Amino acid sequence: MKVCVIGGAGYIGSHAVLELVNDGHEVVVIDNLSTGTRDAVDEKARFYLGDITNEKQLFDIFSEETLLGRFDAVMHFAAKIVVPESVSHPLEYYHNNVEGVRIMLKTMVQHGIKNVIFSSTAAVYGDVKKDICTEDDELKPINPYGESKLASERLIHWVAQAYDMNYCIFRYFNVAGAHESLKIGLKRDNLTHIIPITVQTALKIRSSMVIFGDDYPTPDGTCIRDYIHVADLAFAHVLGMKYIVNENKSATINLGSSTGYSVKQVIDEVSQYFPVNYSIGPRREGDPAKLIASSERAKNLLGWTVKRTLKDIIKTDLDFRIKHETR
Ligand code: UFG
């Protein structure tokens, strides 16, 4: 298939590009390089420097590509994803994440493209009170990031209905790790996620780290999350694309492992390689005690399950940071 990957130079997008190329698809990447890098894009993909919120630019790129053959599907990774930043900059988040999706969908309609694969998030569920999240659970985001993704999900739903399109919406849980080739991984300033922070502390890039609360109602008192390796997550996009194109159907699907690990368990696992200097601090606002995906639908519809463990996630992130000496 011919696939357009918007945001294909970023952390998750570049992994999806690699999985698509390896599965034999023709891939075109559009990215504004705001967080991604050109060298993260596989050389078999065609690259355009472009911004999803620039309607004319997106229209022109799609028109140029359509002359060579229409896209079978468009994948969307071009979002802002930092929760605290979304709280301080909601206008930017709605502009980039929601307006960007509206422009993408309009451009797709103008060029007769029928299939869209969209990256959403477990943040659409909000402050979850249940242990395991299923896709039919109540959607009550508690920050602008989650709201912007939910608004995009609804927009996609209505546009797909009006213009006879198919969509695959993926709700990601805690994505981490790097590609086994160690060519691509998470490189960014001011990282906030637990796995890179713990690995950076182990590598002495940080002198210490803080566990945000150890008084949660969990076995060791620290929060439990569902960690998924970025390559497993990326491969699901290939399956999701084939599903909606071949079955002519739409779906909304969680991507997680159905297994949870606590913050302390993550630190223990990283400590197998190097000691991790940490202290216990107060709870971070908005953190649910436990968030685990039900992966039944991904298994039933796509035949997808995770292949990599927490150990693989940590080891690849560690090796990637050692190799690239990255912050
Ligand atoms: N944590 C610490 N110390 C740190 C960083 C994180 O103790 O220095 C804890 C957090 O308090 C939380 C856990 O580690 O309990 C995981 O936190 P992350 O920031 O790594 O990830 P979140 O679960 O908060 O959020 C991530 C994504 C969201 C997504 C969510 C879905 O950032 O976009 O996973 O599960 F919605």
Side-chain angles (χ1 to χ4, degrees):
M1 284 185 238
K2 178 169 174 178
V3 192
C4 177
V5 183
I6 305 181
Y11 171 50
I12 298 175
S14 62
H15 282 83
V17 169
L18 203 55
E19 296 295 335
L20 286 164
V21 164
N22 288 342
D23 202 54
H25 304 283
E26 181 184 352
V27 181
V28 173
V29 170
I30 305 173
D31 199 297
N32 66 3
L33 300 183
S34 60
T35 57
T37 54
R38 179 69 184 83
D39 62 0
V41 180
D42 189 90
E43 56 198 19
K44 293 201 191 76
R46 262 195 307 289
F47 180 82
Y48 290 88
L49 183 64
D51 194 311
I52 193 172
T53 60
N54 184 332
E55 196 163 333
K56 175 160 186 336
Q57 202 175 47
L58 204 65
F59 182 89
D60 288 347
I61 296 170
F62 271 57
S63 299
E64 191 178 328
E65 275 299 326
T66 305
L67 293 174
L68 305 171
R70 183 181 288 157
F71 291 121
D72 296 291
V74 175
M75 291 192 183
H76 177 282
F77 297 95
K80 289 178 172 283
I81 58 157
V82 180
V83 172
E85 187 185 60
S86 78
V87 177
S88 53
H89 295 83
L91 292 171
E92 273 96 326
Y93 269 69
Y94 272 77
H95 177 66
N96 190 84
N97 292 5
V98 185
E99 176 64 358
V101 170
R102 188 194 68 79
I103 290 171
M104 173 189 77
L105 292 167
K106 182 178 170 188
T107 311
M108 289 177 67
V109 170
Q110 287 167 327
H111 291 87
I113 301 159
K114 293 286 180 194
N115 301 288
V116 58
I117 294 91
F118 180 69
S119 307
S120 188
T121 168
V124 297
Y125 296 115
D127 190 7
V128 179
K129 302 287 180 227
K130 291 165 62 186
D131 280 0
I132 304 265
C133 281
T134 70
E135 292 85 350
D136 297 325
D137 283 347
E138 194 181 9
L139 304 173
K140 266 182 128 180
I142 55 170
N143 52 58
Y145 168 61
E147 287 282 9
S148 73
K149 285 292 181 180
L150 182 55
S152 300
E153 285 195 11
R154 302 308 299 158
L155 179 59
I156 289 168
H157 167 82
W158 292 116
V159 172
Q161 184 172 302
Y163 297 98
D164 192 24
M165 293 161 70
N166 304 311
Y167 61 82
C168 187
I169 291 171
F170 284 122
R171 294 184 182 146
Y172 302 167
F173 283 65
N174 291 56
V175 189
H179 195 265
E180 279 90 355
S181 65
L182 305 182
K183 281 190 191 142
I184 47 176
L186 182 58
K187 260 198 246 177
R188 203 163 290 171
D189 290 336
N190 307 320
L191 289 166
T192 58
H193 290 140
I194 186 70
I195 289 185
I197 281 181
T198 310
V199 168
Q200 287 181 330
T201 310
L203 293 176
K204 305 276 180 273
I205 296 165
R206 289 167 191 261
S207 55
S208 66
M209 61 176 289
V210 178
I211 294 182
F212 298 141
D214 69 348
D215 57 352
Y216 284 94
T218 59
D220 65 21
T222 64
C223 288
I224 292 175
R225 292 289 180 275
D226 184 338
Y227 296 96
I228 171 171
H229 193 283
V230 63
D232 282 337
L233 180 105
F235 184 60
H237 290 68
V238 178
L239 299 177
M241 176 180 76
K242 289 179 177 169
Y243 174 79
I244 63 170
V245 172
N246 297 336
E247 304 283 326
N248 196 24
K249 283 182 182 162
S250 293
T252 299
I253 301 173
N254 284 342
L255 289 181
S257 69
S258 304
T259 311
Y261 291 95
S262 72
V263 173
K264 272 200 180 137
Q265 284 176 304
V266 168
I267 293 177
D268 286 348
E269 185 60 43
V270 177
S271 304
Q272 312 248 328
Y273 302 94
F274 302 103
V276 176
N277 187 13
Y278 70 88
S279 60
I280 308 291
R283 290 183 178 194
R284 187 174 69 176
E285 206 183 323
D287 274 344
K290 190 170 177 180
L291 202 51
I292 300 176
S294 159
S295 308
E296 282 302 297
R297 192 177 287 178
K299 193 171 168 193
N300 293 339
L301 292 185
L302 309 182
W304 177 90
T305 49
V306 292
K307 293 199 172 66
R308 296 157 180 95
T309 61
L310 179 68
K311 202 176 206 26
D312 300 324
I313 293 172
I314 286 171
K315 184 73 169 67
T316 52
D317 189 79
L318 184 74
D319 289 345
F320 178 79
R321 273 173 219 293
I322 291 171
K323 179 165 180 201
H324 295 270
E325 294 178 341
T326 179
R327 287 167 291 138

